[in-house]
Amino acid sequence: GQNIDQPTEMTATEGAIVQINCTYQTSGFNGLFWYQQHAGEAPTFLSYNVLDGLEEKGRFSSFLSRSKGYSYLLLKELQMKDSASYLCAVMDSNYQLIWGAGTKLIIKP
Amino acid sequence: GAVVSQHPSRVICKSGTSVKIECRSLDFQATTMFWYRQFPKKSLMLMATSNEGSKATYEQGVEKDKFLINHASLTLSTLTVTSAHPEDSSFYICSAVSAGGPSYNEQFFGPGTRLTVL
């Protein structure tokens, strides 16, 4: 079956760096998305990886290894506003999104 | 874990026809379901919030007469795109909020429906 795994919850300190991992097993691969979702709000797009390697966008970076079925989202210089859920989603060969359950990130001062 | 399904997964239709997309929570009850539209490699745009037994709440700029939403039961919401046009071609995703149990108040996403209007 198709599966996306990411940690349920992580805690980090303001100003620090945190890495949220996502592993996947899907029928084919047409890209991996990371979204940020604050409570009560719609998810917002963070990144899209379809080729191996690291994509950097400001304080956020996303890495993909297709051979390992693995991605991570790296958040630097953490701010309190980064407290949110982070969703990993993979688009399979049928262009269907397979969603992870999300990682709740708690930032402490 | 909780599963949300969408049907159909993809649909191609002619301009002017109507298309119905179903969103079902398979193993939990959802008093609230959300409908999103995703443009390529972009954020999910919230279209409307669907509450069981009441009228949907539409986001600004979303035409309620064009995108009809019905939330007839605690496990089913439907989105009907009426008189579809090519600009309605998109990826439509629903999500459902668990009404109880161990996943109470968690939001689960469906796999999406790809609509292509010719």
Side-chain angles (χ1 to χ4, degrees), chain A residues 26-33 48-50 90-95:
Chain A
T26 57
S27 304
F29 180 83
N30 276 301
L32 184 145
F33 296 80
Y48 171 73
N49 293 65
V50 67
V90 172
M91 188 163 277
D92 68 11
S93 57
N94 291 318
Y95 295 94

Side-chain angles (χ1 to χ4, degrees), chain A residues 3-6 21-25 68-71 88 90:
Chain A
N3 194 52
I4 307 277
D5 283 317
Q6 52 181 129
N21 295 324
C22 171
T23 57
Y24 63 90
Q25 290 177 304
K68 295 181 180 177
Y70 168 70
S71 172
C88 172
V90 172

